[in-house]
């Protein structure tokens, strides 16, 4: 029986195999006609992993633009392939697998299906990510606040701060090394109160040009700039000095250049300031016989809470003008000396007809000075009858003239008794010819001194008694 079964199965074997092949083929045709296998291209961006490996090697990398995206073919049933999209795939470049070459640096790219991975076939063509490598540089910069515009009239810019004030920049060394400063600007135009604003820091090179930040990584995107607005005031600079110039010389002027500065601060502080004073110990004219200049920093003489509106004005030049004085002798009739505080019932008689008054000053000032302008005054307050010697008081412009000490000898007597008073009635100082407020009688040798002065100054002969009297008459 078994033999009969085998005989039946093997009978017409070729036809039977052909029928089987035909049946399978027909089945596949039917299946493919219903849901055939198709392929479809996709393009997606490459995702990077393990980037810190490159940074740890102190390198900066960039992806070449033409390799930032990859294109691949996917094979699968039409029902599945038509359902998926680019988001169902991921292209991964593991930076730890970087291969450095002489001409190029590459990282293999792996395509991963996120859906239907078992039912799809991705083309096996090798895909690579091309990478550009450079030296990495990371540096911190202090952000400088910059005020733009001018505050309202009568106000000035006070302190400006940036919060936070430090910016870390990392990127290619060739780019980071060009950064010179980082600034954050705030507009204070017509402002009269404190303001603040959020701004984007600007990176500048040594020429003040903006640095391209597209290849840089910044630790901050926005910072806050605060600007204080304070009052301002323009005040003069007052110069004091110490010491005395060389004998025969005089300080003509002591001025600062510039003569005034603008200061700023709280209004209550500024209202109490009328000038910026340079102390006398700063400028010393001791023994000087010519003009000189000295630089002075005003910052150290500003009151607390006050600063200069323009910091460059801190350094001023003090000019000290010193010139040699000329000597001029003016002869004044003693009858033209004013007398103050003479006791009632007493009269005064001068022991000389004229008195010589020495005046020192610049030639041009002395040429303008007349005898009538001297107006000498003698103060006899408290003096009793008797012979006395006292200094004359002469008031002239101290900025132009220096008046020498001039003593005059005189006698006070009672109008009722022309004779000299008894010893008991005379001034107790008469025994010595002086009192507490007098000096020794200059009569002795006076003519000799006067002759010497006249010889020293050729103009002396012009100040005769006649001239003096003429001047007084003109007055």
């Amino acid at each position: 029986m078994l033999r009969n079964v085998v005989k039946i199965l093997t009978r017409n074997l070729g036809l039977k195999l052909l029928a089987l092949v035909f049946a399978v083929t027909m089945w596949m045709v039917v299946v493919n006609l219903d849901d055939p296998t198709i392929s479809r291209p996709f393009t997606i961006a490459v995702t990077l992993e393990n980037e810190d490996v490159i940074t740890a090697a102190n390198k900066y990398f960039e992806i070449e633009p033409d390799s930032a995206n990859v294109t691949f073919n996917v094979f699968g049933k039409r029902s599945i392939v038509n359902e998926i999209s680019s988001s169902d795939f991921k292209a991964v470049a593991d930076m730890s697998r970087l291969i450095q070459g002489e001409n190029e640096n590459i990282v293999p790219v792996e395509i991963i299906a996120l859906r239907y991975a078992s039912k799809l076939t991705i083309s096996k063509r090798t895909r690579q990510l091309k990478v550009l490598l450079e030296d990495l540089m990371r540096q911190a910069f202090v952000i400088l606040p910059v005020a733009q515009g001018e505050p309202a009239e009568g106000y000035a810019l006070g302190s400006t701060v940036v919060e936070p004030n430090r910016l870390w920049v990392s990127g290619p060394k060739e780019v980071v090394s060009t950064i010179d400063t980082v600034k954050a600007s705030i507009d204070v135009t017509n402002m009269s109160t404190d303001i603040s604003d959020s701004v984007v820091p600007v990176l500048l090179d040594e020429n003040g040009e903006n640095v391209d930040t597209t290849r840089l990584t910044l630790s901050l995107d926005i910072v806050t700039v605060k600007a204080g607005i304070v009052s301002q005031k323009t005040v003069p600079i007052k110069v004091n000095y110490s010491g005395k110039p060389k004998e025969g010389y005089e300080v003509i002027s002591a001025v600062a250049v510039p003569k005034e500065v603008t200061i700023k601060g709280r209004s209550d502080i500024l209202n109490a300031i009328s000038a910026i004073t340079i102390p006398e110990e700063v400028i010393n004219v001791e023994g000087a016989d010519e003009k000189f200049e000295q630089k002075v920093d005003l910052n150290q003489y500003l009151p607390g809470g006050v600063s200069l509106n323009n910091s460059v004005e801190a350094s001023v030049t003090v000019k000290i003008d010193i010139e040699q004085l000329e000597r001029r002798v003016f002869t004044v009739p003693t009858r033209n000396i004013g007398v103050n505080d003479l006791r009632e019932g007493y009269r005064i008689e001068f022991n000389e007809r004229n008195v010589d008054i020495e005046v020192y000053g610049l030639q041009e000032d002395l040429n303008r000075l007349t005898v009538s302008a001297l107006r000498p005054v003698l103060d006899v307050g408290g003096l009793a009858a008797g012979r006395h010697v006292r200094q004359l008081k002469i008031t002239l412009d101290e900025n132009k003239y220096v008046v020498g000490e001039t003593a005059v000898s005189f006698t006070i007597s009672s109008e009722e008794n022309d004779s000299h008073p008894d010893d008991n009635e005379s001034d107790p100082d008469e025994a010595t010819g002086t009192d507490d407020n007098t000096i020794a009688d200059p009569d002795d040798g006076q003519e000799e001194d006067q002759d010497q002065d006249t010889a020293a100054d050729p103009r002396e002969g012009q100040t005769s008694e006649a001239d003096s009297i003429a001047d007084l008459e003109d007055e």
Side-chain angles (χ1 to χ4, degrees):
M1 183 176 178
L2 180 61
R3 183 179 297 178
N4 292 333
V5 173
V6 172
K7 187 176 181 180
I8 294 172
L9 292 174
T10 58
R11 185 183 301 169
N12 299 322
L13 181 60
L15 293 176
K16 292 179 178 179
L17 291 174
L18 181 61
L20 178 61
V21 171
F22 179 76
V24 170
T25 301
M26 292 300 294
W27 178 81
M28 293 180 64
V29 169
V30 172
V31 171
N32 286 330
L33 288 175
D34 184 49
D35 190 11
T37 297
I38 61 174
S39 67
R40 181 181 171 189
F42 291 91
T43 300
I44 60 175
V46 178
T47 302
L48 305 182
E49 292 183 353
N50 298 321
E51 300 173 65
D52 55 339
V53 174
I54 306 297
T55 305
N58 203 30
K59 292 290 184 180
Y60 171 84
F61 72 90
E62 284 187 353
I63 307 301
E64 290 192 5
D66 59 354
S67 65
N69 298 315
V70 294
T71 300
F72 53 91
N73 289 320
V74 175
F75 297 88
K77 294 297 183 179
R78 181 171 58 186
S79 59
I80 296 176
V81 172
N82 288 340
E83 182 182 346
I84 60 178
S85 64
S86 297
S87 61
D88 294 317
F89 299 91
K90 183 178 181 181
V92 179
D94 187 350
M95 301 304 292
S96 63
R97 298 173 61 189
L98 174 68
I99 303 172
Q100 299 186 45
E102 294 182 1
N103 299 324
E104 63 180 5
N105 308 296
I106 60 174
V107 179
V109 177
E110 179 183 1
I111 309 299
I112 301 173
L114 304 179
R115 295 175 59 197
Y116 304 112
S118 60
K119 298 181 179 181
L120 299 174
T121 301
I122 301 173
S123 60
K124 301 298 183 181
R125 185 173 64 86
T126 302
R127 296 169 183 85
Q128 299 173 337
L129 182 69
K130 295 181 180 180
V131 178
L132 300 175
L133 287 180
E134 298 181 56
D135 290 336
L136 177 67
M137 184 176 183
R138 186 170 186 265
Q139 186 173 343
F141 295 89
V142 174
I143 305 174
L144 303 177
V146 177
Q148 296 179 337
E150 293 294 333
E153 186 176 356
Y155 293 87
L157 178 66
S159 61
T160 54
V161 296
V162 179
E163 297 177 353
N165 67 342
R166 187 175 294 270
L167 175 69
W168 283 95
V169 181
S170 61
K173 183 178 180 180
E174 65 176 4
V175 179
V176 177
S177 60
T178 64
I179 302 174
D180 182 62
T181 56
V182 178
K183 296 182 179 181
S185 300
I186 185 170
D187 189 1
V188 298
T189 302
N190 293 327
M191 293 295 173
S192 59
T193 58
D194 298 347
I195 61 171
S196 64
D197 195 10
S198 296
V199 300
V200 177
V202 177
L203 283 60
L204 303 174
D205 60 19
E206 61 181 2
N207 297 321
E209 300 293 335
N210 289 356
V211 175
D212 186 5
T213 60
T214 54
R215 302 175 65 194
L216 302 177
T217 301
L218 308 181
S219 62
L220 298 171
D221 294 326
I222 295 178
V223 296
T224 300
V225 183
K226 297 180 180 179
I229 306 299
V230 296
S231 299
Q232 68 175 6
K233 180 181 182 181
T234 300
V235 294
I237 302 173
K238 181 180 179 181
V239 179
N240 292 329
Y241 59 87
S242 59
K244 292 184 178 180
K246 185 178 178 180
E247 185 176 356
Y249 291 80
E250 187 71 17
V251 176
I252 305 303
S253 64
V255 297
V257 180
K259 294 183 178 181
E260 59 184 18
V261 291
T262 302
I263 55 178
K264 60 184 179 180
R266 295 204 323 261
S267 57
D268 58 330
I269 299 178
L270 296 186
N271 290 339
I273 301 174
S274 59
I276 302 300
T277 302
I278 299 176
E280 62 180 17
E281 61 268 17
V282 177
I283 309 295
N284 190 349
V285 301
E286 187 67 33
D289 59 1
E290 62 181 0
K291 63 179 63 177
F292 66 90
E293 297 180 357
Q294 183 174 329
K295 289 288 187 180
V296 177
D297 185 1
L298 288 184
N299 285 324
Q300 54 189 320
Y301 309 119
L302 297 176
V306 175
S307 61
L308 294 172
N309 191 35
N310 188 350
S311 59
V312 299
E313 294 181 345
S315 179
V316 299
T317 300
V318 175
K319 294 185 176 182
I320 307 296
D321 188 7
I322 296 178
E323 296 187 22
Q324 188 172 12
L325 301 179
E326 289 191 6
R327 174 179 173 273
R328 192 74 54 83
V329 178
F330 294 85
T331 300
V332 179
T334 53
R335 60 184 175 84
N336 292 322
I337 297 176
V339 179
N340 289 339
D341 297 330
L342 180 63
R343 289 183 178 183
E344 186 177 355
Y346 285 80
R347 66 181 181 183
I348 185 171
E349 293 182 1
F350 291 97
N351 299 334
E352 298 89 14
R353 294 182 59 190
N354 301 306
V355 63
D356 291 332
I357 299 175
E358 292 182 340
V359 181
Y360 296 85
L362 298 178
Q363 182 179 5
E364 58 180 347
D365 292 330
L366 292 176
N367 289 341
R368 288 194 294 265
L369 185 63
T370 62
V371 173
S372 59
L374 297 179
R375 301 181 185 278
V377 175
L378 178 63
D379 187 358
V380 298
L383 296 182
R387 188 170 180 270
H388 305 278
V389 176
R390 275 201 169 182
Q391 297 287 343
L392 290 176
K393 293 183 179 180
I394 301 171
T395 303
L396 292 176
D397 187 349
E398 295 181 353
N399 294 323
K400 294 183 178 181
Y401 308 103
V402 176
V403 181
E405 293 184 352
T406 303
V408 63
S409 175
F410 58 93
T411 300
I412 297 178
S413 60
S414 172
E415 294 179 349
E416 298 178 357
N417 184 4
D418 294 338
S419 62
H420 292 292
D422 297 334
D423 293 341
N424 293 334
E425 297 177 353
S426 64
D427 192 319
D429 292 326
E430 185 170 337
T432 60
T434 61
D435 59 18
D436 292 341
N437 297 319
T438 62
I439 64 172
D441 190 343
D443 289 345
D444 296 336
Q446 182 177 11
E447 294 180 358
E448 180 181 351
D449 293 340
Q450 182 172 347
D451 292 339
Q452 293 176 355
D453 293 338
T454 304
D457 188 350
R459 298 178 59 89
E460 181 81 1
Q462 300 176 13
T463 56
S464 63
E465 179 182 355
D467 293 336
S468 303
I469 296 174
D471 290 334
L472 291 173
E473 290 174 352
D474 291 340
E475 182 181 6

